[in-house]
Amino acid sequence: MTQAFDAAMRAFAPALPLAVGLSGGADSTALLLACARRWPGRVRAVHVHHGLQAAAEGFERHCIALCQDLDVPLTVQRLDARPAPGQSPEDAARQARYRAFEALALDRRAQRDAMQSMALAQHADDQAETLLLALLRGAGVAGLAAMPARWERAGVVWHRPLLQVAGADVRQWLRAQGQDWVEDPSNADERFTRNRIRARLSPALAAAFPAFRDTFARSAAHAAQAAELLLELAQQDLARVGTPPQISLLQELSRARQANVLRHWLRTAHGTTPAAAQLGALLNQVQACTTRGHGIHIKVGRGFVVRCGAGLDWYNPQALLSPG
């Protein structure tokens, strides 16, 4: 129903000027059209050309024509989003896209028309798929929180105003406007996990549990609240155990709090995330570390956690070998 889309857009109140991520698909086309009508002259579009498929040229042509019709400035960012070894094509494209958006935000900060907000067009189906992907990976509460509706990064407030709107409702609204869009042919390729979820699991869930999008969204919101509490506790515990963490002070915490604060330390101080098995092995060593001669040397993320005197440290051997 188009009412759901209209209600979501009425509730959307970003700081202006606003930039809209425009892929050329139905969702981002609808979002740009609605924003351009509501805030004429205060909206611009950003299209990222990933360079991954021949159809990308058609996406760009659609975006150029749409923005000309709407009298909306368009920035096209061309980049190479080929995946690194071991990285999925979906993740590589997503990471490259966000880097391009952030680079544009930083580039425009010093300009008089610097964008204050950035809007992305993910909707309720995307949120449900993201939660299912997190469950399939065995993610913790941060992953189960799925996609936030609002966050701040690169000096810009980012929004996903359509997270409560089903994808079918977005397309119904767009058809009612008489606006066309382009279909990404890769969306039908079930070699990609998200596409298999969209083609097989989501229809089955909708048939058995028609309100699954709403209930999944509530679960993601609960997980987001839990993740926020764990972050606050990790910050408090890291201030207590020190940076780098002191082993004796870590041992005063419960195992769960040790895991929480060590994940936080590794992520914030070293930009790395331990696998569950790596973190479990590290916790076992922290517990067993009761003598001066007890050494610790455990692979964690892209490097190693080691014992240095009374505390822990982390290093990346490749960085140590790099010149300069």
Side-chain angles (χ1 to χ4, degrees):
M1 297 173 63
T2 61
Q3 292 95 323
F5 182 93
D6 290 333
M9 291 308 302
R10 284 195 299 271
F12 183 35
L16 301 174
L18 169 70
V20 176
L22 179 64
S23 70
D27 311 323
S28 62
T29 297
L31 181 60
L32 178 64
L33 178 58
C35 290
R37 287 177 177 175
R38 185 172 175 187
W39 300 292
R42 306 304 306 279
V43 176
R44 67 182 306 110
V46 184
H47 174 71
V48 176
H49 188 303
H50 296 90
L52 295 176
Q53 53 178 314
E57 297 297 331
F59 304 157
E60 183 176 324
R61 287 193 296 271
H62 168 82
C63 293
I64 292 172
L66 175 65
C67 290
Q68 287 175 343
D69 289 344
L70 297 176
D71 194 22
V72 168
L74 171 66
T75 299
V76 176
Q77 301 275 69
R78 286 179 169 260
L79 47 87
D80 183 352
R82 287 176 295 183
Q87 185 182 30
S88 74
E90 299 159 292
D91 182 59
R94 181 174 58 253
Q95 295 295 334
R97 186 163 57 249
Y98 278 98
R99 285 196 299 271
F101 288 155
E102 290 171 14
L104 177 65
L106 292 170
D107 182 60
R108 301 191 68 84
R109 282 179 66 178
Q111 302 180 33
R112 293 181 62 185
D113 66 340
M115 64 188 197
Q116 301 295 315
S117 307
M118 181 86 189
L120 305 176
Q122 287 95 349
H123 48 63
D125 297 74
D126 297 318
Q127 184 76 313
E129 292 162 9
T130 300
L131 179 57
L132 284 168
L133 283 168
L135 287 167
L136 291 169
R137 292 195 308 266
V141 291
L144 298 178
M147 296 183 290
R150 181 187 185 279
W151 73 104
E152 295 185 27
R153 191 168 178 174
V156 171
V157 181
W158 300 64
H159 301 269
R160 291 187 176 101
L162 304 181
L163 279 185
Q164 301 298 319
V165 184
D169 293 340
V170 175
R171 291 180 177 233
Q172 184 178 353
W173 182 89
L174 200 53
R175 291 189 188 97
Q177 314 310 306
Q179 177 64 56
D180 62 350
W181 65 87
V182 290
E183 291 285 357
D184 185 343
S186 69
N187 287 341
D189 188 345
E190 292 192 17
R191 289 177 297 175
F192 300 127
T193 305
R194 185 178 285 271
N195 290 347
R196 290 199 300 277
I197 291 174
R198 186 175 303 142
R200 304 181 190 185
L201 291 184
S202 294
L205 283 168
F209 307 100
F212 84 95
R213 296 175 184 85
D214 294 334
T215 55
F216 276 26
R218 286 201 299 274
S219 292
H222 294 324
Q225 187 177 61
E228 185 175 349
L229 292 173
L230 286 174
L231 175 59
E232 291 179 6
L233 181 61
Q235 291 168 339
Q236 294 171 10
D237 282 345
L238 190 59
R240 177 180 175 181
V241 303
T243 305
Q246 299 300 293
I247 294 171
S248 62
L249 296 177
L250 277 171
Q251 290 172 335
E252 295 176 1
L253 302 176
S254 68
R255 186 179 177 93
R257 285 175 68 171
Q258 288 178 27
N260 189 46
V261 72
L262 288 172
R263 273 194 298 263
H264 179 67
W265 164 62
L266 288 164
R267 182 175 61 252
T268 57
H270 301 293
T272 194
T273 301
Q278 293 172 343
L279 184 58
L282 177 56
L283 293 172
N284 291 340
Q285 288 300 309
V286 168
Q287 181 182 15
C289 192
T290 56
T291 63
R292 291 183 179 180
H294 187 102
I296 296 177
H297 190 273
I298 295 176
K299 180 77 167 64
V300 173
R302 301 182 307 276
F304 294 85
V305 170
V306 295
R307 179 179 180 178
C308 289
L312 298 177
D313 202 357
W314 181 91
Y315 75 96
N316 181 343
Q318 296 303 316
L320 294 178
L321 294 174
S322 299

